[in-house]
Amino acid sequence: MNAYTGKVLRVDLGSRTTREEPIDPKLAREFIGGRGLASKIYCDEVDAEVDPLDADNKLIFATGSLTGTSAMCGGRLMVVTKGALTGTIACSNVGGTIGPELKYAGFDMIIFEGKAAEPVVLVIDDGKVELRSAVELWGKNVHETEDALHAQLGAGFKFMSIGPAGEKLVRFACVMNDKGRAAGRSGVGAVMGSKNLKAVAVRGTGGVTVAKPEGFRTACLDALDVLMKAEITGKLLPQLGTAVLVNVINDSGIFPARNFQQGQFDTAGKISGETIVEQILVRRRACVACPIACGRVTALPDGKFTGRGDGPEYETIWALGADVGVDDLAAVTKANYICNELGMDTITAGATIACAMELFENSAVSENEVGGPLRFGDAEAVVNMMTRIGNRRGFGDVLAEGAARVADKYGRPDLFMGVKKQEFPAYDPRGTLGMGLQYATSNRGACHVRGYLIAPEILGFPVKADPHTSEGKAALTILFQDLTAVIDSSGICLFTALGMGAPELLAMLKTGTGFDYDMDEMMQAGERIWNLERLFNHRAGFSGKDDTLPKRLLDEPLTGGPAKGKTVPLDKMLTEYYRLRGWDVEGRPTREKLTALGL
Amino acid sequence: MTKILVLDPDSCTSCRLCELACSQRNFGVFRPSLSHIRVAINAEDAFYFPMVCIQCDDAPCIEECPTEALVRDPDTNAVVVVEENCTECGLCESACPYGAIRVFDGRAHKCDLCGGDPECVRFCAAGALRYESGESWPREQRQAYAEQLRNLAEEVKA
């Protein structure tokens, strides 16, 4: 097969056996690779009602079809499982170096089954596979784990590992690569921890070939030129990183502050991308095959908070900053470092603390229970709480369940800001209505990377859409969701969609894989993936009534900024969305639709 | 006037598109382990450094080669491998102070500037690799480069 290695590694952790299986080229074509192909395999093999943390759940690491080639920003890997946070299908994407390395080591995908009797690490060295004891690694944080494995195995290995948060089944634990890149959301790290799988170490010296080298080269160079000429991918992201968004989104009145009580954060400038460059940036850093290089290596050399590492990214700055009312960049960055070391999702970590802060300020939870005050704006409390969550100590053990369960526990489910038990990222949908529809319908709960409607509604790319009208948003949401499924499955970074379009992607995909896709087939593959995930969620017990938003966003108008007075008219958009999706009024894919998609 | 490959490590972002482009162009496979250009990366220190043959004027590899398998291309000023003359003896590999030649699969392999149109440069969006007019690397620049490589080697050892 071209672009693929053609091989899957299946690992039974219970019996400690491994075997190689071929990739089915027909499925590869229909599901593109990565997210799509792994989800297809996952849905075929796993009972949708499985408890995410049960040994019967499976965990898949999947490279995209173009991962390992020079496809622009094509170095990504997807972690597919049922999310410990959400109970929906989860796929969490990570950049860094692990995706290409896995392909060079000879595999497109690893499927983990069962549960190891004691902690293990999977070592893949150029096709040679071994499960080793990780008893001595258990308890180590992500940085210590990578360092210990580096010392043990020698140079050149890349890692995916969990920290204490994954071990202790924090519901939003992530899987980390290169110490600072995260397969972040939905609790995929807790699933890994439940399997006693501490880490995967991969080293590969092999390669990947493409179907039409000349055509592929041209497609890559065309995409490179388009990306570098575009304002966002060619200039803003390289210069300021994802945090370029802080001022842009705040100015649009949709930068949620204090658990979505406000749509703007007065002192956002103190935690902006510009401020990062001025105060803490050491150097930018790219994932493999990425000409954008939005990653930030930063350092806090002195002061109250010290350290060095990756980030903070935009969503992190929001969750550990504006959402908890903190404008101290050093504190935000320090809390980010702790999340990276303990291995947990910064968005849910911050958003859960924000929820707890609102509970505290409403006297729904006592100081005694928290172990001290927990007020918006208390930077030190946030930093301290991070360590307690990651280690499930004290009140941190409560917050380790995520905001939905915390809000339920204290009798205020209305204070959970999210969908399907996953907390919102950093955009208030009251001022970006398409994003509201996408949040409500996203297959892994509230999420910005299943369909980034911010691009047209706020950033004006590829065309400007009015963020304050619901008109046309159902069709736009569907287009973005389906295209995103293709991008993810190709192994390409979603940020490319802020600079290039579907034609560039199609050109790389065709010439790389040799599958003779046209635009219709490619977009239908995206639709197929979306419907496959939706079906899984239905079988897992979700239905149309879960496609909703918190009351605050539906009924309480924003009190200031450009979106002042707005709420999300969800019902209207949702009805149209179901209709255009070819689903029934309860949001279930119809037989005709499924037949048309070959599902 | 000939052109030279200018390395600007400070602009490198560690994306390794140069390695991918080089291996595909020269070996027909995306396989960084074969690439003539390699980015030394010490992520911890945010240290990224592209390493490739700088086509020295007084190239020790040419001097050491006993079979005239390394010659100067008059058009590009690159040192190129004459495959049929190469005996895999490996003297060039040990002679190169920059680690820019490797012997495998029956012959020496090194950067030949792609015959005057280096593929790595085409893929380097960060401007860390540029192909610009110039006679050859001036002595001071070569010394500075060697110095940086030495520091890197020490860091890696530590």
Side-chain angles (χ1 to χ4, degrees):
Chain A
M1 285 177 82
N2 292 299
Y4 298 83
T5 67
K7 282 192 296 188
V8 174
L9 177 66
R10 190 179 288 272
V11 180
D12 184 333
L13 292 164
S15 63
R16 291 182 78 141
T17 54
T18 63
R19 67 171 193 270
E20 291 179 14
E21 295 171 5
I23 293 263
D24 177 348
K26 182 170 175 287
L27 286 185
R29 178 169 185 151
E30 285 173 9
F31 291 89
I32 310 276
R35 169 179 162 192
L37 185 58
S39 297
K40 170 63 178 161
I41 293 171
Y42 181 84
C43 292
D44 283 351
E45 294 186 6
V46 179
D47 177 0
E49 291 178 4
V50 71
D51 181 326
L53 300 176
D54 190 276
D56 287 340
N57 193 11
K58 297 189 185 185
L59 176 73
I60 304 181
F61 289 3
T63 62
S65 39
L66 299 179
T67 304
T69 71
S70 65
M72 287 302 128
C73 313
R76 303 195 70 91
L77 178 136
M78 193 65 92
V79 179
V80 175
T81 187
K82 184 173 179 177
L85 182 71
T86 55
T88 65
I89 192 158
C91 40
S92 289
N93 195 269
V94 63
T97 56
I98 188 68
E101 199 71 21
L102 182 57
K103 271 203 169 163
Y104 303 148
F107 298 104
D108 292 314
M109 202 181 283
I110 313 173
I111 304 173
F112 294 100
E113 309 178 343
K115 175 180 179 173
E118 60 166 33
V120 291
V121 52
L122 177 73
V123 181
I124 303 175
D125 194 0
D126 264 334
K128 206 160 94 304
V129 178
E130 185 190 0
L131 277 165
R132 294 191 185 191
S133 169
V135 171
E136 283 168 21
L137 294 175
W138 206 252
K140 288 193 192 302
N141 74 30
V142 167
H143 289 210
E144 294 161 349
T145 301
E146 285 204 13
D147 289 343
L149 284 169
H150 181 83
Q152 199 183 102
L153 299 170
F157 279 88
K158 314 292 182 202
F159 308 103
M160 285 286 270
S161 70
I162 55 169
E167 296 173 11
K168 296 187 162 78
L169 311 180
V170 171
R171 282 196 187 268
F172 44 92
C174 55
V175 186
M176 300 291 299
N177 165 237
D178 286 352
K179 298 183 178 176
R181 311 296 316 184
R185 302 221 70 193
S186 307
V188 295
V191 175
M192 188 159 157
S194 75
K195 299 193 168 303
N196 267 334
L197 177 62
K198 177 64 179 174
V200 178
V202 183
R203 179 167 67 180
T205 59
V208 177
T209 54
V210 290
K212 296 179 176 148
E214 267 312 304
F216 185 72
R217 175 179 185 272
T218 305
C220 289
L221 286 173
D222 286 350
L224 174 63
D225 290 341
V226 169
L227 288 170
M228 289 302 104
K229 281 187 187 124
E231 175 80 1
I232 302 172
T233 50
K235 197 174 131 196
L236 297 177
L237 283 172
Q239 282 176 1
L240 298 172
T242 54
V244 63
L245 286 170
V246 171
N247 286 327
V248 177
I249 300 300
N250 196 49
D251 290 347
S252 305
I254 57 166
F255 192 56
R258 300 173 191 85
N259 203 34
F260 287 73
Q261 295 183 86
Q262 296 93 29
Q264 283 181 317
F265 190 52
D266 294 343
T267 46
K270 291 172 72 178
I271 49 174
S272 68
E274 292 81 348
T275 309
I276 288 180
V277 171
E278 276 165 31
Q279 295 184 357
I280 61 171
L281 181 67
V282 175
R283 193 170 184 177
R284 59 195 186 113
R285 168 196 257 169
C287 301
V288 174
C290 173
I292 301 172
C294 69
R296 310 278 103 169
V297 179
T298 56
L300 304 170
D302 42 42
K304 191 168 176 184
F305 304 107
T306 57
R308 186 186 169 94
D310 288 63
E313 302 277 344
Y314 167 71
E315 309 291 336
T316 301
I317 290 171
W318 165 76
L320 305 177
D323 200 32
V324 289
V326 169
D327 63 7
D328 175 348
L329 181 61
V332 169
T333 306
K334 180 66 181 179
N336 186 170
Y337 293 163
I338 295 172
C339 284
N340 288 352
E341 285 159 16
L342 299 179
M344 55 187 182
D345 175 29
T346 55
I347 300 178
T348 293
T352 302
I353 295 176
C355 174
M357 284 173 161
E358 196 173 356
L359 288 166
F360 181 85
E361 295 197 345
N362 281 286
S363 306
V365 59
S366 70
E367 191 167 326
N368 192 28
E369 194 152 3
V370 175
L374 192 60
R375 292 183 199 288
F376 286 110
D378 187 343
E380 206 159 341
V382 172
V383 172
N384 290 339
M385 190 56 80
M386 228 33 103
T387 307
R388 290 162 70 193
I389 296 173
N391 290 294
R392 276 191 179 271
R393 279 207 304 264
F395 191 61
D397 188 35
V398 175
L399 299 192
E401 294 292 298
R405 291 170 176 87
V406 172
D408 271 352
K409 180 181 165 82
Y410 296 104
R412 291 294 304 272
D414 57 307
L415 296 186
F416 161 60
M417 292 299 126
V419 178
K420 301 183 178 82
K421 294 196 169 68
Q422 180 157 288
E423 300 75 6
F424 291 116
Y427 316 88
D428 192 316
R430 286 171 288 190
T432 170
L433 300 183
M435 200 67 199
L437 177 62
Q438 139 59 27
Y439 281 150
T441 56
S442 156
N443 285 332
R444 67 163 192 181
C447 177
H448 58 298
V449 288
R450 291 301 90 132
Y452 195 63
L453 274 289
I454 297 302
E457 292 192 316
I458 304 296
L459 306 176
F461 189 87
V463 288
K464 179 72 180 158
D466 180 357
H468 297 147
T469 176
S470 59
E471 216 63 43
K473 292 302 163 59
L476 198 59
T477 298
I478 291 169
L479 176 68
F480 270 70
Q481 288 175 338
D482 292 351
L483 179 59
T484 299
V486 177
I487 294 172
D488 283 347
S489 302
S490 309
I492 306 273
C493 179
L494 185 53
F495 292 168
T496 55
L498 297 169
M500 68 180 211
E504 285 82 13
L505 176 62
L506 174 64
M508 291 194 289
L509 204 52
K510 273 174 73 156
T511 51
T513 62
F515 295 140
D516 192 23
Y517 293 115
D518 58 19
M519 189 60 83
D520 287 344
E521 184 185 352
M522 182 181 86
M523 290 306 294
Q524 194 187 42
E527 187 185 8
R528 183 178 297 118
I529 295 163
W530 192 265
N531 277 270
L532 172 83
E533 294 171 341
R534 178 80 181 185
L535 276 180
F536 178 89
N537 286 348
H538 272 280
R539 291 203 309 274
F542 291 86
S543 68
K545 68 178 187 317
D546 298 298
D547 296 339
T548 188
L549 296 171
K551 200 169 157 292
R552 175 167 288 168
L553 308 181
L554 297 174
D555 298 340
E556 296 172 24
L558 273 169
T559 52
K564 185 177 175 182
K566 304 283 180 192
T567 56
V568 184
L570 182 64
D571 284 349
K572 191 173 148 212
M573 291 191 288
L574 201 54
T575 307
E576 191 185 359
Y577 175 90
Y578 287 167
R579 186 173 59 76
L580 293 176
R581 274 274 179 220
W583 298 350
D584 66 20
V585 290
E586 279 162 9
R588 184 176 288 272
T590 57
R591 185 154 299 276
E592 299 80 67
K593 176 52 78 179
L594 295 179
T595 306
L597 293 172
L599 285 171
Chain B
M1 187 184 261
T2 54
K3 288 179 154 187
I4 56 167
L5 182 61
V6 177
L7 306 180
D8 176 7
D10 288 344
S11 297
C12 180
T13 66
S14 79
C15 79
R16 297 166 63 200
L17 272 167
C18 54
E19 297 179 0
L20 292 163
C22 177
S23 60
Q24 173 64 23
R25 158 91 183 220
N26 290 294
F27 299 95
V29 58
F30 291 103
R31 189 173 176 185
S33 63
L34 297 185
S35 174
H36 299 320
I37 185 165
R38 302 296 295 275
V39 184
I41 300 173
N42 183 336
E44 201 85 353
D45 297 321
F47 184 91
Y48 332 129
F49 200 96
M51 294 164 44
V52 65
C53 174
I54 60 168
Q55 322 293 351
C56 318
D57 272 346
D58 45 356
C61 57
I62 296 183
E63 281 168 31
E64 287 297 320
C65 179
T67 57
E68 295 182 358
L70 289 159
V71 297
R72 182 81 57 183
D73 179 331
D75 295 331
T76 60
N77 205 38
V79 177
V80 298
V81 180
V82 183
E83 190 177 346
E84 53 275 22
N85 288 358
C86 181
T87 61
E88 285 185 85
C89 72
L91 285 172
C92 56
E93 199 174 65
S94 19
C96 176
Y98 306 112
I101 305 189
R102 288 186 296 161
V103 178
F104 56 85
D105 287 350
R107 55 165 288 193
H109 294 271
K110 71 177 292 296
C111 168
D112 63 358
L113 296 173
C114 296
D117 183 16
E119 188 77 345
C120 54
V121 172
R122 186 68 189 83
F123 276 80
C124 182
L129 306 171
R130 300 190 299 271
Y131 196 49
E132 292 176 345
S133 295
E135 279 305 329
S136 64
W137 280 42
R139 176 165 292 275
E140 311 82 70
Q141 195 180 346
R142 274 165 49 193
Q143 276 168 350
Y145 180 63
E147 185 67 27
Q148 281 175 296
L149 284 181
R150 190 157 41 242
N151 292 344
L152 172 66
E154 269 157 28
E155 265 183 64
V156 169
K157 255 186 269 164

